[in-house]
């Protein structure tokens, strides 16, 4: 699998990443092991995780798999801090951030993460305090690089410029954002801001939360995420009339190219300007292998233009 530079930094990652959001909920340890082994054997390196996935169980599983089956040096760990939603100050304060990172390292059984992604914008905490936590983490060897999760364009610019103005060694190198044919909001401000400031994009949910695979075109399969009590709301948010039109176009393109809708949708995101990696999740290693097969797909200019047109933000 080809590697890409994350923005203008020295960090290199596989252009398809492995997500672990379902680990500990719908994915057990055996399946998680099969997935990571399959991923690394295919040349993949970037693995995305969060302390919010299954309340930390996903990170514990990843740590167990690396301890027993996959060498730590073969994996580039991108770890989110706790997601926003708690009380004010709980995700931007220096103490909370560093405590979260220490807990993540314990669960993963490692001494550092490769990319530590800040979980949001906490307006109740001075930005300098949040940045100081990243500085401490990088200087202390607990994180190699820092990134941002779902910032707006102005937030990305503010954080990056403030970090540079303070001569920080931990200027953000990436922004993780939902990005797919169904979700192109980031193109309005975030994508150009990231490119201007030299940050690479880590795209999550590149398959439109599974909708772009076409599996829901005829209903809700019993073994799908939409049938899962945990993940149903996550999927249903992307099922509407506009999505149906885009899915139809993806299915048509896949039929014409003799490939899968999954491959078409994933290749479209993977090769968007500024994208360093597209992160995919999987139910099992067979489903993951289908995503990894996209490595061999390059969309023709005409197909890409047609998909750009049908999915253009309203």
């Amino acid at each position: 699998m080809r590697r890409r530079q994350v923005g203008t930094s020295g960090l290199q990652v596989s252009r398809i990443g492995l997500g672990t959001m379902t680990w500990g909920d719908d994915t057990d340890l055996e399946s998680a092991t099969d997935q990571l082994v399959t991923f690394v054997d295919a040349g993949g390196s970037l693995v995305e995780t969060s302390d919010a996935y299954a309340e930390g169980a996903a990170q514990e599983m990843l740590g167990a798999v690396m301890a027993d089956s996959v060498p730590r040096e073969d994996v580039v760990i991108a770890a989110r801090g706790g997601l926003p939603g708690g009380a004010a100050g709980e995700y931007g304060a220096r103490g909370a951030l560093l405590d979260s990172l220490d807990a993540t390292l314990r669960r993963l059984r490692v001494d550092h993460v490769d990319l530590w992604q800040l979980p949001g914008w906490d307006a109740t905490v001075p930005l300098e305090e949040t940045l100081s936590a990243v500085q401490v983490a990088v200087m202390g060897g607990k994180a190699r690089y820092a990134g941002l999760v779902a910032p707006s364009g102005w937030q990305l610019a503010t954080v990056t410029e403030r970090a540079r103005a303070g001569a920080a060694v931990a200027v953000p190198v990436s922004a993780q954002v939902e990005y797919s044919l169904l979700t192109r909001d980031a193109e309005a401000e975030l994508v150009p801001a990231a490119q201007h400031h030299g940050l690479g994009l880590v795209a999550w949910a590149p398959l439109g939360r599974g909708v772009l695979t076409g599996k829901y075109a005829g209903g809700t399969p019993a073994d799908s995420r939409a049938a899962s009590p945990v993940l149903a709301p996550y999927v249903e948010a992307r099922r509407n009339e506009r999505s149906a039109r885009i899915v139809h176009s993806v299915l048509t393109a896949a039929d014409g190219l003799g490939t899968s809708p999954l491959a078409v949708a994933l290749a479209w995101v993977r090769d968007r300007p500024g994208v360093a990696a597209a992160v995919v999740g999987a139910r099992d290693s067979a489903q993951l292998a289908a995503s990894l097969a996209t490595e061999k797909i390059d969309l023709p200019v005409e197909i890409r233009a047609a998909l750009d047109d049908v999915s253009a933000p309203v």
Side-chain angles (χ1 to χ4, degrees), residues 202-242:
V202 177
W204 65 274
L207 302 177
R209 308 188 182 190
V211 175
L212 288 166
T213 64
K215 70 172 66 176
Y216 301 112
T220 302
D223 63 347
S224 68
R225 289 182 176 181
S228 163
V230 175
L231 296 174
Y234 172 81
V235 176
E236 291 299 331
R238 295 293 174 265
R239 297 177 72 181
N240 52 49
E241 291 185 10
R242 174 178 175 270

Side-chain angles (χ1 to χ4, degrees), residues 38-279:
T38 297
F39 179 67
V40 171
D41 284 350
S45 64
L46 181 66
V47 179
E48 189 269 349
T49 189
S50 169
D51 54 9
Y53 297 165
E55 299 181 343
Q59 292 186 340
E60 291 175 351
M61 291 175 67
L62 177 56
V65 176
M66 288 190 296
D68 296 335
S69 304
V70 177
R72 166 67 179 95
E73 58 268 23
D74 290 346
V75 178
V76 176
I77 301 174
R80 292 195 198 190
L83 298 178
E90 286 188 354
Y91 56 91
R94 179 170 50 240
L97 283 170
L98 293 175
D99 285 348
S100 172
L101 178 57
D102 286 341
T104 286
L105 296 178
R106 286 194 298 270
R107 285 189 289 266
L108 293 173
R109 309 185 199 181
V110 299
D111 61 4
H112 74 278
V113 296
D114 301 284
L115 179 61
W116 186 34
Q117 303 184 97
L118 272 66
W121 182 273
D122 190 343
T124 68
V125 176
L127 180 56
E128 287 77 11
E129 178 177 338
T130 301
L131 291 174
S132 72
V134 181
Q135 187 89 342
V136 169
V138 172
M139 292 292 289
K142 295 181 179 181
R144 296 290 189 258
Y145 294 89
L148 306 172
V149 175
S152 64
W154 72 265
Q155 289 171 349
L156 181 149
T158 300
V159 171
T160 303
E161 290 301 318
R162 196 75 62 85
R164 286 177 176 151
V169 299
V171 177
V173 303
S174 68
Q176 183 173 5
V177 62
E178 182 171 2
Y179 195 9
S180 74
L181 280 161
L182 302 184
T183 309
R184 297 178 59 183
D185 299 346
E187 293 177 356
E189 293 184 2
L190 178 59
V191 173
Q195 291 181 294
H196 177 77
H197 290 281
L199 279 70
L201 296 175
V202 177
W204 65 274
L207 302 177
R209 308 188 182 190
V211 175
L212 288 166
T213 64
K215 70 172 66 176
Y216 301 112
T220 302
D223 63 347
S224 68
R225 289 182 176 181
S228 163
V230 175
L231 296 174
Y234 172 81
V235 176
E236 291 299 331
R238 295 293 174 265
R239 297 177 72 181
N240 52 49
E241 291 185 10
R242 174 178 175 270
S243 297
R245 291 193 298 271
I246 296 171
V247 170
H248 176 73
S249 295
V250 170
L251 292 170
T252 300
D255 185 59
L257 295 172
T259 188
S260 68
L262 180 155
V264 171
L266 182 53
W268 182 89
V269 178
R270 182 199 65 199
D271 295 332
R272 294 298 288 174
V275 172
V279 176

